[in-house]
Amino acid sequence: MSPVTTWRQNTSVSVVINANQFTQDEFNCLNAVFENYNISAGANGNSSGVRFNVTYSSTPAATLRNPYTSGGANLAFNAPGVTNGLQVDRPQGMRPQAMGEEYAGSSDGTRQA
């Protein structure tokens, strides 16, 4: 199967912001971004219907293929029990150009940011 680069319309996405890497204040700031997106996802906004369900946890929603290859074709995989996952981690060991990159899922709607 080929990589998934978008979520289907009306997809519910499980987002985990890594509690081991972000403070509560940072989480609150990041969560506000997702909430603003959720508000704009309706018929009066972008009409995607995609909804982000955000949690602050050390249990990941998705992981990158191991080992990570700087500048390579990196794929993300859902954690067990997660259908459409987006994991938000601080970049570690990445080249500066990779900061903020999002990695496509294998075939299951996964993302890693």
Side-chain angles (χ1 to χ4, degrees):
M1 296 185 133
S2 62
V4 174
T5 56
T6 62
W7 286 295
R8 289 190 173 102
Q9 190 171 15
N10 301 316
T11 297
S12 178
V13 179
S14 298
V15 179
V16 173
I17 297 176
N18 192 329
N20 290 330
Q21 297 177 354
F22 293 94
T23 67
Q24 184 67 51
D25 286 342
E26 290 169 327
F27 166 77
N28 293 341
C29 181
L30 291 167
N31 188 47
V33 173
F34 285 103
E35 287 303 316
N36 286 336
Y37 181 87
N38 286 340
I39 291 167
S40 72
N44 295 325
N46 65 32
S47 298
S48 72
V50 172
R51 174 129 182 100
F52 294 102
N53 303 300
V54 182
T55 59
Y56 184 55
S57 174
S58 59
T59 302
T63 57
L64 281 177
R65 179 193 68 190
N66 192 7
Y68 165 80
T69 305
S70 183
N74 296 290
L75 292 177
F77 297 92
N78 281 322
V82 176
T83 302
N84 296 295
L86 171 60
Q87 179 65 33
V88 180
D89 293 331
R90 285 195 186 278
Q92 297 179 13
M94 295 179 168
R95 68 195 198 299
Q97 300 89 327
M99 303 304 177
E101 281 184 355
E102 180 183 355
Y103 299 96
S106 54
S107 64
D108 55 9
T110 310
R111 302 286 188 281
Q112 175 95 10

